[in-house]
Amino acid sequence: QKEVEQNSGPLSVPEGAIASLNCTYSDRGSQSFFWYRQYSGKSPELIMSIYSNGDKEDGRFTAQLNKASQYVSLLIRDSQPSDSATYLCAVNANTDKLIFGTGTRLQVFP
Amino acid sequence: DTGVSQNPRHKITKRGQNVTFRCDPISEHNRLYWYRQTLGQGPEFLTYFQNEAQLEKSRLLSDRFSAERPKGSFSTLEIQRTEQGDSAMYLCASSLSLGADTQYFGPGTRLTVL
């Protein structure tokens, strides 16, 4: 079982819709969770971090964490074509290194 | 520019050659990480430093790989006797302190081994 799992996609949504990206992790001791956006050929860019159960909102982005279910998600409201990228879920299990999923490719079409 | 910087951005080398990459972290960050990313995969942890001390090395880091951070500022990653399987994006990240603090990535160095 991979430590951090994501559906590779592509996830295709129309412009203006809500994109929902999901991630599960295996280590119950995980304490911090991150979503990074990565455009093709570029490096990961931090979108959101979340540490506590529940929702955290930042502009059009909402991260949701459920530690009991070992599940973290990212919602993107009012999706724009510029949101088309690969979204990486990363987990820190108190080992000071990040464990990444393989990423979900999001395509927003006009 | 106050972000993480990496040099070179691209490196093409022949199999068997040695290569060295440099990373300059965000100035006040005392933690520095190296990751490797291949096509279609997420970044994989290689090693990290707290100031000048190398605290952890992944099993991915064979004896051909060595990393240093001699004065606790910039870091270098050297690959000796490169192999085609070393072709990847090498990413550097830095963070402020212990535990869960956020890691910020540099632009990466893309290595191609012919």
Side-chain angles (χ1 to χ4, degrees):
Chain A
Q1 180 188 5
K2 292 183 180 178
E3 294 182 74
V4 178
E5 294 207 44
Q6 296 181 255
N7 188 319
S8 61
L11 172 66
S12 293
V13 300
E15 185 174 357
I18 296 175
S20 178
L21 303 159
N22 305 313
C23 172
T24 59
Y25 60 94
S26 61
D27 190 334
R28 286 194 169 274
S30 299
Q31 295 294 320
S32 51
F33 307 85
F34 304 88
W35 284 99
Y36 287 84
R37 177 175 63 197
Q38 187 171 31
Y39 293 111
S40 180
K42 303 296 185 183
S43 65
E45 172 193 10
L46 181 72
I47 298 295
M48 294 280 289
S49 60
I50 187 166
Y51 304 98
S52 304
N53 279 330
D55 294 359
K56 179 181 177 182
E57 186 174 321
D58 183 359
R60 295 187 297 112
F61 299 96
T62 299
Q64 300 174 317
L65 175 61
N66 184 326
K67 290 186 178 181
S69 300
Q70 295 174 246
Y71 175 90
V72 59
S73 65
L74 179 70
L75 300 178
I76 306 174
R77 289 181 298 282
D78 188 24
S79 296
Q80 301 297 309
S82 59
D83 294 326
S84 299
T86 296
Y87 289 80
L88 296 164
C89 173
V91 173
N92 184 327
N94 273 340
T95 59
D96 302 314
K97 63 189 179 192
L98 292 178
I99 307 298
F100 284 85
T102 56
T104 298
R105 189 157 62 93
L106 173 66
Q107 294 177 336
V108 181
F109 55 91
Chain B
D1 186 2
T2 57
V4 179
S5 63
Q6 292 186 246
N7 286 288
R9 297 289 304 276
H10 303 273
K11 179 69 177 179
I12 300 174
T13 192
K14 292 182 179 179
R15 186 163 50 96
Q17 298 295 303
N18 298 344
V19 295
T20 300
F21 309 142
R22 174 176 170 133
C23 172
D24 288 86
I26 294 170
S27 59
E28 64 269 26
H29 285 187
N30 52 19
R31 289 210 154 189
L32 186 150
Y33 306 79
W34 286 99
Y35 292 84
R36 180 172 69 187
Q37 186 177 24
T38 54
L39 197 62
Q41 301 297 313
E44 294 176 294
F45 170 79
L46 293 178
T47 188
Y48 86 94
F49 294 84
Q50 168 83 22
N51 299 313
E52 65 275 9
Q54 188 173 17
L55 296 186
E56 186 176 347
K57 293 170 60 173
S58 164
R59 284 171 290 181
L60 291 175
L61 215 64
S62 76
D63 56 6
R64 297 184 298 105
F65 288 71
S66 62
E68 294 183 340
R69 195 183 182 195
K71 297 183 179 178
S73 57
F74 72 92
S75 175
T76 58
L77 177 69
E78 181 183 17
I79 309 174
Q80 296 182 327
R81 305 181 303 280
T82 52
E83 302 173 355
Q84 288 185 326
D86 297 331
S87 296
M89 174 80 89
Y90 289 83
L91 294 162
C92 177
S94 70
S95 71
L96 245 182
S97 63
L98 296 171
D101 212 343
T102 303
Q103 296 181 26
Y104 297 91
F105 283 84
T109 295
R110 181 165 297 283
L111 173 66
T112 302
V113 182
L114 302 176

